[in-house]
Amino acid sequence: MLGQLAWRAQTPYELAKAMERNLRFFWPRAASHVYRQVKRLERDGFANAERGATGRRPRTVYAITPRGREALRGWLAGEAGGIELEHEPLLRVFLCASGTPDDALRAIGAARARAEAMLAIGRPLAHEYIEGRHPFQDQVHVRALSFDYLYRWAELTIDWADRAAREVSGWRDTGPSTAKHRRALARLKELLG
Amino acid sequence: MLGQLAWRAQTPYELAKAMERNLRFFWPRAASHVYRQVKRLERDGFANAERGATGRRPRTVYAITPRGREALRGWLAGEAGGIELEHEPLLRVFLCASGTPDDALRAIGAARARAEAMLAIGRPLAHEYIEGRHPFQDQVHVRALSFDYLYRWAELTIDWADRAAREVSGWRDTGPSTAKHRRALARLKELLG
DNA sequence: GATTACATGTAACATGTTACATGATTAC
DNA sequence: GTAATCATGTAACATGTTACATGTAATC
């Protein structure tokens, strides 16, 4: 949220929209979440609230403070703790080990569909960043690089899902521990060095 | 946790260890977390607790129930809601748009280091799965495929980080909006179709 | 003027982390 | 025997989601 506020002061609603638009692919959060978090920012002195109103509804614009900028800088430069990566579709695939091959095929298909959706939804947005039509001016470039990464990742996922589905289909037909199966494992071993 | 219990009954500590060992790359959770969650499983009828003791310390073994298996099947087959993907290192890179090129280089370096760590830590485990030395017998195969995915992903990340770092270094030296810079954006546009 | 979508939240709950406490086991 | 590590948690807190309530603007 500080990262968003660093660009300009915003209302919680605008913040929520921006996060939904820009970050949902790798940092998905529910919209209502920001209304509480923004209060915390104010409490901790990272943001100032400017309270106004349209009609009789409250309307609060939050602006980042110097202290907030400092905190953001610190976080950006900060050391990372663990692996900090969460991939639910892959978790499903992994745990399908305790199910049937059909379960696994379904899970692999779901992971693939997710990547497809990412490509479909993200393409227009990525173009906005790259062509500079997006209101982030100079910031466009690192963001374009981020999208580049997301795209390669999605393509990797689709490619992997297709090959994985073929393998699992083979197992379903022939059962485990066949020669074909052993060859597949040998290939994997090769791959991992 | 049900996915782990489906294999065999375990104590919370064993569960925590197994999750730390197998899932941390894409589903990292604090160990102490499981002690509460396992109680919820019991409360909801997804697992049975068998309470015993070593010396005077409590020791509770949890076993999955038929109802628990059904719930697991349901979840594995279940539709996925949103994108459900969380990538903290990439979030940092994306938000470095509001910082200096050096901030961006640091964040890109951190993402790369994370992928390297994944390769280093995961390689022995992946080999265990592939060679069947791991105690998951027939389940090995889907898990080997999952590791295959993680490895390709890590390699992709490293490759991307190297190219991204070169680009950003170029921007740092020449400033934005140079010809070089515009060429880079054109390449990205090309890539995204 | 009724309906729909946008905007602004709150309340209740679920999930997850950190810091701590403390008994048992192992290594020296 | 004692220090380190394994094992088993609890308490306090932080974070995140779902379901709801309700005002405001656009539209038909």
Side-chain angles (χ1 to χ4, degrees):
Chain A
M1 281 169 51
L2 286 177
Q4 301 292 312
L5 288 179
W7 175 52
R8 68 172 177 77
Q10 292 172 72
T11 65
Y13 184 79
E14 289 170 317
L15 268 175
K17 280 294 166 201
M19 291 176 68
E20 164 71 14
R21 179 186 163 85
N22 296 311
L23 310 181
R24 75 166 134 172
F25 299 116
F26 47 94
W27 200 254
R29 288 297 178 269
S32 73
H33 180 50
V34 307
Y35 288 98
R36 200 181 10 175
Q37 288 304 84
V38 103
K39 279 175 197 153
R40 189 169 74 84
L41 291 184
E42 189 187 9
R43 187 199 67 193
D44 296 347
F46 295 150
N48 284 328
E50 175 97 15
R51 289 166 214 287
T54 25
R56 85 179 47 178
R57 297 226 61 178
R59 183 187 152 84
T60 312
V61 181
Y62 290 86
I64 196 168
T65 62
R67 197 160 136 62
R69 271 184 208 283
E70 201 184 326
L72 176 60
R73 280 297 299 271
W75 180 77
L76 285 176
E79 299 313 309
I83 301 286
E84 280 149 17
L85 206 65
E86 209 169 291
H87 194 320
E88 217 229 59
L90 185 57
L91 176 65
R92 282 177 203 260
V93 172
F94 192 81
L95 292 180
C96 274
S98 61
T100 68
D102 282 329
D103 290 333
L105 283 175
R106 226 190 331 270
I108 290 167
R112 188 192 199 281
R114 220 55 84 71
E116 290 270 22
M118 207 295 254
L119 286 174
I121 301 170
R123 202 180 298 266
L125 180 55
H127 275 285
E128 286 187 38
Y129 276 121
I130 287 164
E131 288 163 15
R133 264 190 282 121
H134 204 274
F136 278 88
Q137 298 103 7
D138 355 330
Q139 309 182 351
V140 159
H141 315 102
V142 177
R143 299 199 166 188
L145 283 177
S146 302
F147 268 92
D148 177 34
Y149 179 59
L150 285 175
Y151 271 74
R152 288 174 190 274
W153 184 7
E155 279 162 12
L156 168 75
T157 303
I158 289 168
D159 180 58
W160 169 84
D162 288 340
R163 284 182 312 97
R166 273 199 302 278
E167 295 246 341
V168 175
S169 295
W171 304 346
R172 187 185 46 187
D173 299 339
T174 63
S177 301
T178 61
K180 188 173 174 184
H181 203 168
R182 278 197 301 278
R183 272 200 307 279
L185 286 179
R187 269 204 307 281
L188 278 179
K189 188 179 170 184
E190 186 78 15
L191 184 84
L192 306 190
Chain B
M1 281 169 48
L2 285 177
Q4 300 291 313
L5 289 179
W7 175 51
R8 68 172 178 77
Q10 292 172 73
T11 66
Y13 184 79
E14 288 169 318
L15 268 174
K17 280 295 167 200
M19 293 176 67
E20 165 70 12
R21 179 185 165 86
N22 297 309
L23 310 181
R24 75 165 135 173
F25 300 116
F26 47 93
W27 200 252
R29 288 297 177 271
S32 73
H33 180 49
V34 308
Y35 288 97
R36 200 181 12 176
Q37 289 304 83
V38 103
K39 279 176 197 154
R40 189 168 75 83
L41 291 183
E42 189 187 10
R43 187 198 68 193
D44 295 349
F46 295 150
N48 284 328
E50 176 97 15
R51 287 166 215 288
T54 23
R56 82 180 47 178
R57 299 225 62 179
R59 182 188 154 85
T60 312
V61 181
Y62 289 85
I64 195 168
T65 61
R67 196 160 137 61
R69 270 183 209 283
E70 200 183 328
L72 176 61
R73 280 298 297 272
W75 180 78
L76 285 177
E79 300 312 309
I83 302 286
E84 280 149 15
L85 207 63
E86 211 169 289
H87 194 320
E88 216 228 59
L90 185 57
L91 176 66
R92 282 176 203 260
V93 172
F94 192 82
L95 292 180
C96 275
S98 61
T100 67
D102 282 328
D103 289 334
L105 282 176
R106 225 190 332 269
I108 290 168
R112 188 192 200 282
R114 219 58 83 73
E116 291 271 23
M118 206 297 255
L119 285 175
I121 301 170
R123 203 181 296 269
L125 180 54
H127 274 285
E128 285 188 39
Y129 276 120
I130 286 164
E131 287 163 15
R133 263 190 282 120
H134 205 274
F136 278 87
Q137 299 102 7
D138 354 335
Q139 310 181 350
V140 159
H141 314 101
V142 177
R143 300 199 164 186
L145 283 177
S146 303
F147 268 92
D148 177 34
Y149 180 59
L150 286 175
Y151 270 74
R152 289 174 189 274
W153 185 5
E155 279 162 11
L156 168 75
T157 303
I158 290 168
D159 179 60
W160 169 83
D162 288 339
R163 285 182 311 98
R166 273 199 302 277
E167 295 247 340
V168 174
S169 295
W171 304 347
R172 187 186 45 188
D173 299 338
T174 63
S177 303
T178 60
K180 190 175 173 184
H181 202 170
R182 277 197 302 278
R183 273 201 306 279
L185 287 178
R187 269 203 307 283
L188 276 179
K189 188 179 170 184
E190 185 79 15
L191 184 84
L192 305 191

